[in-house]
Amino acid sequence: MTQADVSFRRGLRLGAGFASVPLLLSISFGVVAVDAGLSPVQAVVMSALVHAGSGQFAAISVFGAGGGVVPAVLASGLTNSRFLAMGIAVAPSLPGRPWSRAVQGQTVVDPSFVMANRHDGTFDRWLLFGAFAPQYAGWFTGTVLGAYGGDLLGDTDRLGVDAIFPAFFLALLVAELRRPETRWVALGGAVIALALVPFAPPGVPILAAALAALVALR
Amino acid sequence: MNGWLLIAGVALLTAAIKAAGPVVLGGRELPARFTRVVGLLAAPLMAALVVTSALADGRHLQVDAATAGVVVAGVLFWRGSPVIVGVLAAVVVTAGLRALGAP
């Protein structure tokens, strides 16, 4: 077995451990998308093509509130702007022609980004791909369940599903915090983000939090 | 119709955002200072995602039942619980507090 196979399998295993959460989250996405006026087919196609949960929720909440297509697309772009920073981070670890790198870059999602990080400035790209696969499968399957079976659930807030999203990212954060040098940076990011919440559009506080990592330039 | 436009717009923009870094900077050696920043990037991004989703609703800060659920999940994760256990605990605590009348 080559090193690529080993990494890919390891990624699959790690990603599978997290896949139950995208499954739960995307069930609620399917419900919300249909409530906002998409057909079940459209909700499923959106998850298949986009696969960036927070951006999809942002787009749907603007669209569902009657905000129109362009503002909804922009809201998703801002919410997903953190992937710009992540894409720059993984770029040196992705070989090949530009179009091939563009395709490889699509496998960056929050858990795969965290798991593939070697913490020496490089990323294990096969682990990235492996960790992405179960995330994608979970996200797709959950959207199907939510879009077609959402009527069975009723009021999802009452069920506490809004705790899933932050708890999921907290699991990824705690894994990072095991390394002491990340702690002040994480705190800095949290403070920057919270300070910007009242003033900036959703998503921008998260991208701005990435600036906390610039402390490494000292 | 508008639904399909929305899907196309979000799909294209997301793909472009994810492709930008790898296309422009891919396969290149970058200076050591850059790689140190990269190694630290995940922590502030994840921290920001946690606080903006657990302590805020849109543009205003708020603490509610979900905040308590997320705190419980954090303790479980720190003690080594699997992801699904912490997440389900967060959901159960949140739903339980709401059943008792919390916001």
Side-chain angles (χ1 to χ4, degrees), chain A residues 78-149:
Chain A
L78 288 173
T79 307
N80 284 335
S81 56
R82 68 180 181 282
F83 292 118
L84 200 59
M86 294 187 199
I88 292 169
V90 300
S93 307
L94 300 180
R97 292 182 170 280
W99 65 264
S100 158
R101 301 199 300 261
V103 172
Q104 294 176 60
Q106 303 304 313
T107 63
V108 173
V109 288
D110 301 288
S112 66
F113 176 78
V114 171
M115 291 167 191
N117 194 343
R118 290 201 187 102
H119 295 116
D120 62 356
T122 67
F123 286 76
D124 184 334
R125 70 178 176 127
W126 285 101
L127 202 154
L128 184 81
F129 305 156
F132 167 79
Q135 298 294 308
Y136 186 89
W139 185 253
F140 181 84
T141 310
T143 307
V144 172
L145 294 176
Y148 288 96

Coordinates of all heavy atoms in Angstrom, one line a residue, chain A residues 78-149:
Chain A
L78 N -19.9 35.5 1.6 CA -19.3 36.1 2.8 C -19.2 35.0 3.9 O -18.1 34.9 4.6 CB -20.1 37.2 3.4 CG -20.1 38.5 2.6 CD1 -21.0 39.6 3.1 CD2 -18.6 39.1 2.5
T79 N -20.2 34.2 4.1 CA -20.1 33.1 5.1 C -19.0 32.1 4.7 O -18.4 31.6 5.6 CB -21.5 32.4 5.2 OG1 -22.5 33.4 5.4 CG2 -21.5 31.4 6.3
N80 N -18.9 31.9 3.4 CA -17.8 30.9 3.0 C -16.5 31.5 2.8 O -15.5 30.9 2.4 CB -18.3 30.3 1.7 CG -19.3 29.3 1.9 OD1 -19.5 28.7 3.0 ND2 -20.1 29.0 0.8
S81 N -16.3 32.8 3.2 CA -15.1 33.5 2.8 C -13.9 32.9 3.6 O -12.8 33.0 3.2 CB -15.2 35.0 3.2 OG -15.6 35.2 4.5
R82 N -14.2 32.2 4.7 CA -13.1 31.5 5.4 C -12.4 30.5 4.6 O -11.2 30.2 4.8 CB -13.6 30.9 6.7 CG -14.5 29.7 6.5 CD -14.9 29.1 7.9 NE -15.8 28.0 7.7 CZ -17.1 28.0 7.4 NH1 -17.7 29.2 7.2 NH2 -17.8 26.9 7.4
F83 N -13.1 30.0 3.6 CA -12.5 29.0 2.7 C -11.4 29.6 1.8 O -10.5 28.9 1.2 CB -13.5 28.3 1.8 CG -14.4 27.4 2.6 CD1 -15.8 27.6 2.7 CD2 -13.9 26.3 3.3 CE1 -16.6 26.8 3.5 CE2 -14.7 25.5 4.1 CZ -16.0 25.7 4.2
L84 N -11.5 30.9 1.6 CA -10.4 31.6 0.9 C -9.1 31.5 1.7 O -8.0 31.1 1.2 CB -10.8 33.1 0.8 CG -10.1 34.0 -0.3 CD1 -10.4 33.4 -1.6 CD2 -10.7 35.4 -0.2
A85 N -9.2 31.8 3.0 CA -8.0 31.6 3.9 C -7.5 30.2 3.9 O -6.3 29.9 3.8 CB -8.3 32.1 5.3
M86 N -8.4 29.2 4.0 CA -8.1 27.8 4.1 C -7.4 27.4 2.7 O -6.5 26.6 2.7 CB -9.3 26.9 4.4 CG -9.8 27.2 5.8 SD -11.1 25.9 6.1 CE -12.0 26.7 7.5
G87 N -8.0 27.9 1.6 CA -7.5 27.6 0.3 C -6.0 28.0 0.1 O -5.2 27.3 -0.4
I88 N -5.8 29.3 0.6 CA -4.4 29.8 0.5 C -3.5 28.9 1.4 O -2.4 28.6 1.0 CB -4.4 31.2 1.0 CG1 -5.1 32.1 0.0 CG2 -2.9 31.7 1.2 CD1 -5.4 33.5 0.5
A89 N -4.0 28.4 2.5 CA -3.2 27.6 3.4 C -2.8 26.3 2.8 O -1.7 25.8 2.9 CB -3.9 27.4 4.8
V90 N -3.8 25.6 2.1 CA -3.5 24.3 1.6 C -2.8 24.4 0.2 O -2.2 23.4 -0.2 CB -4.8 23.4 1.4 CG1 -5.4 23.2 2.8 CG2 -5.7 24.0 0.4
A91 N -2.8 25.5 -0.4 CA -2.3 25.7 -1.8 C -0.9 25.0 -2.0 O -0.8 24.3 -3.0 CB -2.3 27.1 -2.2
P92 N 0.1 25.3 -1.2 CA 1.4 24.8 -1.5 C 1.4 23.3 -1.4 O 2.3 22.6 -1.9 CB 2.3 25.4 -0.4 CG 1.5 26.6 0.1 CD 0.1 26.3 0.0
S93 N 0.4 22.6 -0.8 CA 0.4 21.2 -0.6 C -0.3 20.5 -1.8 O -0.4 19.3 -1.8 CB -0.2 20.8 0.7 OG 0.4 21.4 1.7
L94 N -0.9 21.3 -2.7 CA -1.7 20.7 -3.8 C -0.9 20.8 -5.1 O -0.7 21.9 -5.7 CB -3.0 21.4 -4.0 CG -3.9 21.3 -2.7 CD1 -5.2 22.1 -3.0 CD2 -4.2 19.9 -2.3
P95 N -0.4 19.7 -5.7 CA 0.4 19.7 -6.9 C -0.5 19.6 -8.1 O -1.7 19.4 -8.0 CB 1.3 18.5 -6.8 CG 0.4 17.5 -6.0 CD -0.4 18.3 -5.1
G96 N 0.1 19.8 -9.3 CA -0.6 19.6 -10.5 C -0.9 20.9 -11.3 O -0.5 21.9 -10.8
R97 N -1.7 20.7 -12.4 CA -2.0 21.9 -13.2 C -3.1 22.7 -12.5 O -3.8 22.2 -11.6 CB -2.6 21.4 -14.5 CG -1.5 20.8 -15.4 CD -2.1 20.4 -16.7 NE -1.1 20.0 -17.7 CZ -0.3 20.8 -18.3 NH1 -0.5 22.1 -18.2 NH2 0.6 20.4 -19.1
P98 N -3.3 24.0 -12.9 CA -4.2 24.8 -12.1 C -5.6 24.2 -12.0 O -6.2 24.3 -11.0 CB -4.2 26.1 -13.0 CG -2.9 26.2 -13.6 CD -2.5 24.7 -13.8
W99 N -6.2 23.6 -13.1 CA -7.5 23.1 -13.0 C -7.6 21.9 -12.0 O -8.6 21.8 -11.3 CB -8.1 22.7 -14.4 CG -7.4 21.6 -15.1 CD1 -6.4 21.7 -16.0 CD2 -7.5 20.2 -14.9 NE1 -5.9 20.5 -16.4 CE2 -6.6 19.5 -15.7 CE3 -8.4 19.4 -14.0 CZ2 -6.5 18.1 -15.7 CZ3 -8.3 18.0 -14.1 CH2 -7.4 17.4 -14.9
S100 N -6.5 21.2 -12.0 CA -6.5 20.0 -11.1 C -6.4 20.5 -9.7 O -7.1 20.0 -8.8 CB -5.2 19.2 -11.4 OG -4.9 18.4 -10.3
R101 N -5.6 21.6 -9.4 CA -5.6 22.2 -8.1 C -6.9 22.8 -7.7 O -7.3 22.7 -6.5 CB -4.5 23.2 -8.0 CG -3.1 22.7 -8.4 CD -2.0 23.6 -7.9 NE -2.1 25.0 -8.4 CZ -1.4 25.4 -9.4 NH1 -0.5 24.6 -10.0 NH2 -1.5 26.7 -9.8
A102 N -7.6 23.4 -8.7 CA -8.9 23.9 -8.4 C -9.9 22.8 -7.9 O -10.7 23.0 -7.0 CB -9.5 24.6 -9.6
V103 N -9.8 21.7 -8.6 CA -10.7 20.5 -8.2 C -10.3 20.0 -6.8 O -11.1 19.8 -5.9 CB -10.7 19.4 -9.2 CG1 -11.4 18.2 -8.7 CG2 -11.2 19.9 -10.5
Q104 N -9.0 19.8 -6.6 CA -8.5 19.4 -5.3 C -9.0 20.3 -4.2 O -9.3 19.9 -3.1 CB -7.0 19.2 -5.3 CG -6.5 18.2 -6.2 CD -4.9 18.1 -6.2 OE1 -4.3 17.9 -5.2 NE2 -4.4 18.4 -7.4
G105 N -8.9 21.6 -4.5 CA -9.3 22.6 -3.5 C -10.8 22.5 -3.0 O -11.1 23.0 -1.9
Q106 N -11.6 21.9 -3.9 CA -13.0 21.7 -3.5 C -13.2 20.8 -2.3 O -14.3 20.8 -1.7 CB -13.9 21.2 -4.7 CG -13.8 22.1 -5.9 CD -14.2 23.5 -5.7 OE1 -15.2 23.8 -5.0 NE2 -13.3 24.4 -6.1
T107 N -12.2 20.0 -2.0 CA -12.3 19.0 -0.9 C -12.0 19.6 0.5 O -12.1 19.0 1.5 CB -11.4 17.8 -1.1 OG1 -10.0 18.3 -1.0 CG2 -11.7 17.1 -2.4
V108 N -11.7 20.9 0.5 CA -11.5 21.6 1.8 C -12.9 21.9 2.4 O -13.6 22.7 1.9 CB -10.7 22.9 1.6 CG1 -10.7 23.7 2.9 CG2 -9.3 22.6 1.1
V109 N -13.2 21.2 3.5 CA -14.3 21.6 4.3 C -13.8 21.7 5.7 O -12.6 21.2 6.0 CB -15.5 20.5 4.2 CG1 -16.2 20.6 2.9 CG2 -15.0 19.1 4.4
D110 N -14.5 22.2 6.7 CA -13.9 22.5 8.0 C -13.2 21.3 8.6 O -12.1 21.4 9.0 CB -14.9 23.1 8.9 CG -15.5 24.4 8.4 OD1 -14.8 25.4 8.3 OD2 -16.6 24.4 7.9
P111 N -13.9 20.1 8.7 CA -13.2 19.0 9.4 C -12.0 18.5 8.6 O -11.0 18.2 9.2 CB -14.3 17.9 9.4 CG -15.5 18.6 9.1 CD -15.3 19.8 8.3
S112 N -12.1 18.4 7.2 CA -11.0 17.9 6.5 C -9.8 18.8 6.6 O -8.6 18.4 6.6 CB -11.4 17.6 5.0 OG -11.6 18.9 4.3
F113 N -10.0 20.1 6.6 CA -9.0 21.1 6.8 C -8.2 20.9 8.1 O -7.0 20.9 8.2 CB -9.6 22.5 6.7 CG -8.5 23.6 6.9 CD1 -7.7 24.0 6.0 CD2 -8.5 24.3 8.2 CE1 -6.8 25.0 6.2 CE2 -7.6 25.3 8.4 CZ -6.7 25.7 7.4
V114 N -9.0 20.7 9.2 CA -8.4 20.5 10.5 C -7.6 19.2 10.6 O -6.5 19.1 11.1 CB -9.5 20.6 11.6 CG1 -8.9 20.2 13.0 CG2 -10.1 22.0 11.7
M115 N -8.2 18.1 10.0 CA -7.6 16.8 10.2 C -6.3 16.7 9.3 O -5.4 15.9 9.7 CB -8.6 15.7 9.8 CG -9.7 15.6 10.8 SD -11.1 14.6 10.0 CE -12.3 14.9 11.2
A116 N -6.3 17.3 8.1 CA -5.2 17.1 7.2 C -4.0 18.0 7.5 O -2.9 17.9 6.9 CB -5.6 17.4 5.8
N117 N -4.2 18.9 8.5 CA -3.1 19.8 8.9 C -1.9 19.1 9.6 O -2.1 18.4 10.6 CB -3.7 20.9 9.8 CG -2.8 22.1 10.0 OD1 -1.6 22.0 9.7 ND2 -3.4 23.2 10.5
R118 N -0.7 19.2 9.0 CA 0.4 18.5 9.6 C 1.1 19.4 10.6 O 2.0 19.0 11.3 CB 1.5 18.1 8.5 CG 1.1 17.0 7.6 CD 2.3 16.4 7.0 NE 2.0 15.5 6.0 CZ 2.1 15.7 4.6 NH1 2.5 16.9 4.2 NH2 1.8 14.8 3.8
H119 N 0.6 20.6 10.7 CA 1.1 21.6 11.7 C 2.6 21.9 11.5 O 3.3 22.3 12.4 CB 0.9 21.1 13.2 CG -0.6 21.1 13.5 ND1 -1.2 19.9 13.8 CD2 -1.5 22.0 13.5 CE1 -2.5 20.1 14.0 NE2 -2.7 21.4 13.9
D120 N 3.0 21.8 10.2 CA 4.4 22.2 9.9 C 4.3 23.1 8.7 O 5.2 23.3 7.9 CB 5.3 21.1 9.6 CG 4.8 20.2 8.4 OD1 3.8 20.5 7.9 OD2 5.6 19.3 8.1
G121 N 3.0 23.6 8.4 CA 2.8 24.5 7.3 C 2.3 23.7 6.0 O 2.0 24.3 5.0
T122 N 2.3 22.4 6.1 CA 1.9 21.6 5.0 C 0.6 20.8 5.4 O 0.3 20.6 6.6 CB 3.0 20.6 4.5 OG1 3.2 19.6 5.5 CG2 4.2 21.4 4.1
F123 N 0.0 20.3 4.3 CA -1.2 19.5 4.5 C -1.0 18.1 3.8 O -0.4 18.1 2.8 CB -2.5 20.2 4.0 CG -2.9 21.3 4.8 CD1 -2.2 22.5 4.8 CD2 -4.0 21.2 5.7 CE1 -2.6 23.6 5.6 CE2 -4.4 22.2 6.5 CZ -3.7 23.4 6.5
D124 N -1.6 17.1 4.4 CA -1.6 15.8 3.8 C -2.8 15.7 2.9 O -3.9 15.5 3.3 CB -1.7 14.7 4.9 CG -1.6 13.3 4.4 OD1 -1.9 13.1 3.2 OD2 -1.2 12.4 5.1
R125 N -2.5 15.8 1.6 CA -3.7 16.0 0.7 C -4.5 14.8 0.5 O -5.7 14.8 0.4 CB -3.3 16.5 -0.7 CG -2.5 15.6 -1.5 CD -2.2 16.2 -2.9 NE -1.4 15.3 -3.6 CZ -1.7 14.9 -4.9 NH1 -2.7 15.3 -5.5 NH2 -0.9 14.1 -5.5
W126 N -3.9 13.6 0.6 CA -4.7 12.4 0.5 C -5.6 12.2 1.8 O -6.7 11.7 1.7 CB -3.9 11.1 0.3 CG -3.4 11.2 -1.2 CD1 -2.2 11.5 -1.6 CD2 -4.2 10.8 -2.3 NE1 -2.2 11.5 -3.0 CE2 -3.4 11.1 -3.4 CE3 -5.5 10.4 -2.5 CZ2 -3.8 10.9 -4.7 CZ3 -5.9 10.2 -3.8 CH2 -5.1 10.4 -4.9
L127 N -5.1 12.6 2.9 CA -5.9 12.6 4.1 C -7.1 13.6 4.0 O -8.2 13.3 4.4 CB -5.1 12.9 5.3 CG -5.6 12.4 6.7 CD1 -4.5 12.2 7.7 CD2 -6.6 13.4 7.3
L128 N -6.8 14.7 3.3 CA -7.8 15.7 3.1 C -8.9 15.1 2.2 O -10.1 15.3 2.6 CB -7.2 16.9 2.3 CG -8.0 18.1 2.0 CD1 -8.2 19.0 3.2 CD2 -7.4 19.0 0.9
F129 N -8.6 14.4 1.1 CA -9.6 13.8 0.2 C -10.4 12.8 1.0 O -11.6 12.7 0.8 CB -8.9 13.2 -1.0 CG -8.0 14.1 -1.8 CD1 -7.0 13.6 -2.6 CD2 -8.2 15.5 -1.7 CE1 -6.2 14.5 -3.3 CE2 -7.4 16.4 -2.5 CZ -6.4 15.9 -3.3
G130 N -9.6 11.9 1.8 CA -10.3 10.8 2.5 C -11.3 11.4 3.5 O -12.4 10.8 3.6
A131 N -10.9 12.4 4.2 CA -11.8 13.0 5.3 C -13.0 13.7 4.6 O -14.1 13.7 5.2 CB -11.0 13.9 6.2
F132 N -12.8 14.2 3.4 CA -13.9 14.9 2.7 C -15.0 13.9 2.3 O -16.2 14.2 2.5 CB -13.3 15.6 1.5 CG -14.4 16.1 0.5 CD1 -15.1 17.3 0.8 CD2 -14.7 15.4 -0.6 CE1 -16.0 17.7 -0.1 CE2 -15.7 15.8 -1.5 CZ -16.3 17.0 -1.2
A133 N -14.6 12.7 1.9 CA -15.6 11.8 1.3 C -16.8 11.5 2.2 O -18.0 11.6 1.8 CB -14.9 10.5 0.8
P134 N -16.5 11.0 3.5 CA -17.7 10.7 4.4 C -18.5 12.0 4.7 O -19.7 11.9 5.0 CB -17.1 10.1 5.6 CG -15.6 10.1 5.4 CD -15.3 10.7 4.1
Q135 N -17.8 13.2 4.8 CA -18.5 14.4 5.1 C -19.5 14.7 4.0 O -20.7 15.0 4.2 CB -17.6 15.6 5.1 CG -16.5 15.5 6.2 CD -17.1 15.6 7.5 OE1 -17.9 16.5 7.8 NE2 -16.8 14.7 8.4
Y136 N -19.1 14.5 2.7 CA -19.9 14.7 1.6 C -21.1 13.8 1.6 O -22.3 14.2 1.4 CB -19.1 14.6 0.3 CG -19.9 15.0 -1.0 CD1 -19.9 16.3 -1.4 CD2 -20.7 14.0 -1.6 CE1 -20.6 16.7 -2.5 CE2 -21.4 14.4 -2.8 CZ -21.4 15.7 -3.2 OH -22.1 16.1 -4.3
A137 N -20.8 12.5 1.8 CA -21.9 11.5 1.8 C -22.9 11.8 2.9 O -24.1 11.7 2.7 CB -21.3 10.1 2.0
G138 N -22.4 12.2 4.1 CA -23.3 12.5 5.2 C -24.2 13.7 4.9 O -25.4 13.7 5.1
W139 N -23.6 14.7 4.3 CA -24.3 16.0 4.0 C -25.4 15.7 3.0 O -26.5 16.2 3.1 CB -23.3 17.0 3.6 CG -23.9 18.3 3.3 CD1 -24.1 18.9 2.1 CD2 -24.3 19.3 4.3 NE1 -24.7 20.2 2.3 CE2 -24.8 20.4 3.7 CE3 -24.3 19.2 5.7 CZ2 -25.4 21.5 4.4 CZ3 -24.9 20.3 6.4 CH2 -25.4 21.4 5.7
F140 N -25.0 14.9 2.0 CA -26.0 14.6 0.9 C -27.2 13.8 1.4 O -28.3 14.2 1.2 CB -25.3 13.9 -0.2 CG -26.1 13.6 -1.4 CD1 -26.4 14.5 -2.4 CD2 -26.8 12.3 -1.5 CE1 -27.2 14.2 -3.5 CE2 -27.6 12.0 -2.5 CZ -27.8 12.9 -3.5
T141 N -26.8 12.7 2.2 CA -27.9 11.8 2.7 C -28.8 12.6 3.6 O -30.1 12.4 3.5 CB -27.2 10.7 3.4 OG1 -26.2 10.1 2.6 CG2 -28.3 9.6 3.8
G142 N -28.3 13.4 4.5 CA -29.1 14.1 5.4 C -30.0 15.1 4.7 O -31.2 15.3 5.1
T143 N -29.6 15.7 3.7 CA -30.4 16.7 2.9 C -31.6 16.0 2.3 O -32.7 16.5 2.4 CB -29.6 17.4 1.8 OG1 -28.4 18.0 2.4 CG2 -30.4 18.5 1.2
V144 N -31.3 14.8 1.8 CA -32.4 14.0 1.2 C -33.5 13.7 2.3 O -34.7 13.9 2.1 CB -31.9 12.7 0.6 CG1 -33.1 11.8 0.2 CG2 -31.0 12.9 -0.6
L145 N -33.0 13.2 3.4 CA -33.9 12.9 4.5 C -34.7 14.1 5.0 O -35.9 14.0 5.2 CB -33.1 12.3 5.7 CG -32.4 11.0 5.5 CD1 -31.6 10.6 6.7 CD2 -33.4 9.9 5.2
G146 N -34.0 15.2 5.2 CA -34.7 16.4 5.6 C -35.7 17.0 4.6 O -36.8 17.4 5.0
A147 N -35.3 17.0 3.3 CA -36.1 17.6 2.3 C -37.4 16.8 2.1 O -38.4 17.4 1.8 CB -35.3 17.8 1.0
Y148 N -37.2 15.5 2.1 CA -38.4 14.7 1.8 C -39.2 14.2 3.1 O -40.3 13.8 3.0 CB -38.0 13.4 1.0 CG -37.6 13.8 -0.4 CD1 -36.3 14.0 -0.8 CD2 -38.6 14.0 -1.4 CE1 -36.0 14.4 -2.1 CE2 -38.3 14.4 -2.7 CZ -37.0 14.6 -3.0 OH -36.7 15.0 -4.3
G149 N -38.5 14.2 4.2 CA -39.2 13.7 5.4 C -39.3 14.8 6.5 O -39.7 14.5 7.7

